[in-house]
Amino acid sequence: MMNRILLFGGIAVGALVQLFLPTWPMFGGIKPPVLAAFVLYYSLHRSPRGMWIAVFWAALLHDGLDLGGFGPALVGFPVIGVLAHRVRLEIFVDGLVTQTIFGALGAMLATLVAMVLYAVTGQRPFHFGYALLQIIGSGLLGMVVLPLVSLVMNKLEALLPKRRGYGWQ
Amino acid sequence: MLFRNKKLVYAATAGFLLIVAFVLPSSLSRKGKGAVRGVVAPAERGTAGLGRRLSEAVAAIRGMGGAVEKNRDLSHELVRVQARLNQLRDAEADNVRLRRAFKFHHQSPHSMIPCDVISRNISGWWNTVRIGKGSADGIQENHAVISSDGLVGKTIEVSKQTSEVLLVCDPAFRVSARIDRANVFGLVRGGGVNLKGHPVAQMDFIDKDTEVRVGDEVVTSGLSGEGGVSPKGVHIGYVEKVHRDASGLFQSAEIAPSATISLLDYVFVVSAGATEEAP
């Protein structure tokens, strides 16, 4: 129960943080992908049910607070969630290198999905050079954000009261 | 048993998401967004208020640090007084800013709704800000948003408690404009943000035979489509560069929009019925 509250609260706070963070032109004007990092964190650490709850809650907040139709996060977050969840048992999920690589790949994939959706629906103009800058920029931001989010969430989860372990559980 | 077939679950999820992304009617999508924004709005307001207080505190600390460096030998009392003085200076600056906005509000012939900026865009894909008033306060879509520096943008996606403002520099922004000196019309559209972080816009369809000079003032023409409200004569920016259209039939001008906006700003939404000319 407390873990679920932390999931919902953490992602909501993550959305607020992402709202108030500035953008940097050298990263293609893309915001630091805090919500994508939460999706990756829960995909790497939780069961499929936990992952899907995190994916939909983060996507709902992201697309609900963004301009345009629902879609960029609602399509992008499940993709990165499912891909990360598939390999989570084959990697050391709490390693800094793993998180840096996954943070970069996840953010780049989310940006790519949003870019394709916006280009297909004609909502945003597409320029190859700027698109490349946005993908690389989001990757660099993701490299920094996921380790930070993981660190904070690990600390917060460690503070939660532990469930009593019964032998039969 | 059904949920054990992973391929089926993934296919169903993908289908559902694609339907939501591409087929969901915009009215339904807006209702959903309005609900999400309504829930998040109080937290946004609180965080924006906290940000304001934090920036005031940082300004006070900066001033105190400077005073300590300059007056290392002075007593703690003097430092405290200096910090207090800095706080008062910030309050004075804030007061001047608010008075300016208030005076602007009262001098302008337009009926305007004052609003505070509560957050930025969440993804960075759009050049927008969110203001803390919505349809419950009489705000409608496609109404001009202005500040004492000039045109900020226009309202778009208005929910009950909040409204999105599409900034002048967003590529989706369009407004009919006029070069004040030459009295020639054109269409201003956003050009995004350049690599230095400065917003840019472009004025297209300027008559090719009219002389346009660098530094000419660009103002709104007062013409607006889509049932919107755009007052006449509101400052947009100054011409920075002029070049001939690719077809050779028109001129284009690069414009630096004057009204840049931050989370600390107050803006005004021009309400319906305001079509008078600005002084």
Side-chain angles (χ1 to χ4, degrees), chain A residues 16 18-20 25 29 31 52 56 62-68 70-71 74 78 111 117-118 121 123-124 134, chain B residues 17 20-22 29 33 37 44 47 118 120-126 128 130 157 170 172 194-195 197 263:
Chain A
L16 275 178
Q18 191 167 327
L19 269 174
F20 285 93
K31 282 278 184 93
W52 282 113
F56 281 111
H62 188 284
D63 284 351
L65 293 171
D66 204 6
L67 208 66
F70 279 96
L74 213 54
T111 305
L117 263 174
Y118 283 136
T121 53
Q123 291 184 69
R124 296 279 84 185
Q134 285 178 316
Chain B
L17 294 177
V20 170
F22 290 104
S29 170
K33 277 171 178 276
R37 286 170 193 171
E44 282 179 313
T47 315
I118 59 168
R120 299 184 172 102
N121 179 246
I122 193 168
S123 64
W125 282 96
W126 303 84
T128 59
R130 190 169 300 127
E157 290 193 6
D170 190 273
N194 63 19
L195 289 176
L263 283 173

Side-chain angles (χ1 to χ4, degrees), chain B:
Chain B
M1 194 65 186
L2 184 69
F3 289 100
R4 286 182 190 279
N5 190 339
K6 280 187 178 177
K7 279 182 185 173
L8 198 67
V9 171
Y10 286 148
T13 311
F16 168 73
L17 294 177
L18 290 174
I19 286 169
V20 170
F22 290 104
V23 189
L24 194 71
S26 63
S27 59
L28 209 63
S29 170
R30 288 198 178 184
K31 272 184 188 166
K33 277 171 178 276
V36 174
R37 286 170 193 171
V39 169
V40 180
E44 282 179 313
R45 277 196 198 96
T47 315
L50 196 71
R52 284 195 186 100
R53 279 194 209 111
L54 203 67
S55 74
E56 283 167 14
V58 167
I61 289 165
R62 268 186 194 160
M64 193 160 67
V68 169
E69 278 173 20
K70 285 176 193 166
N71 308 294
R72 201 164 287 173
D73 300 330
L74 290 176
S75 65
H76 283 291
E77 181 59 23
L78 191 61
V79 174
R80 195 186 64 77
V81 170
Q82 183 71 44
R84 180 74 186 137
L85 187 66
N86 281 320
Q87 274 181 341
L88 288 173
R89 274 189 195 137
D90 287 339
E92 191 186 359
D94 206 30
N95 195 5
V96 167
R97 197 162 57 91
L98 287 169
R99 274 174 186 275
R100 202 170 141 222
F102 186 73
K103 194 177 161 193
F104 173 70
H105 180 216
H106 281 267
Q107 278 181 350
S108 173
H110 312 299
S111 167
M112 295 192 293
I113 303 166
C115 308
D116 52 343
V117 178
I118 59 168
S119 70
R120 299 184 172 102
N121 179 246
I122 193 168
S123 64
W125 282 96
W126 303 84
N127 299 102
T128 59
V129 290
R130 190 169 300 127
I131 53 176
K133 286 187 180 169
S135 58
D137 304 288
I139 293 175
Q140 292 169 10
E141 285 184 11
N142 281 319
H143 283 207
V145 178
I146 57 182
S147 73
S148 49
D149 296 326
L151 186 72
V152 171
K154 66 175 178 181
T155 54
I156 184 169
E157 290 193 6
V158 176
S159 66
K160 201 173 177 184
Q161 294 176 34
T162 62
S163 308
E164 293 284 327
V165 176
L166 190 70
L167 301 181
V168 173
C169 64
D170 190 273
F173 184 88
R174 303 275 188 281
V175 69
S176 173
R178 184 171 59 89
I179 293 174
D180 204 26
R181 184 192 55 78
N183 198 24
V184 61
F185 289 82
L187 185 77
V188 167
R189 61 181 174 87
V193 177
N194 63 19
L195 289 176
K196 289 177 185 168
H198 300 143
V200 287
Q202 186 165 324
M203 186 170 179
D204 293 325
F205 306 117
I206 306 168
D207 180 19
K208 69 178 170 60
D209 297 324
T210 308
E211 188 197 2
V212 179
R213 297 179 201 154
V214 171
D216 276 352
E217 187 186 8
V218 179
V219 297
T220 54
S221 72
L223 304 168
S224 58
E226 299 166 5
V229 172
S230 171
K232 195 176 178 181
V234 176
H235 175 78
I236 298 175
Y238 295 100
V239 172
E240 284 202 323
K241 209 184 275 182
V242 185
H243 42 84
R244 188 57 63 96
D245 189 63
S247 66
L249 297 172
F250 298 101
Q251 295 181 88
S252 297
E254 285 177 27
I255 301 166
S258 298
T260 51
I261 193 134
S262 74
L263 283 173
L264 303 176
D265 284 332
Y266 301 92
V267 293
F268 298 96
V269 179
V270 180
S271 65
T275 50
E276 312 95 314
E277 189 166 350

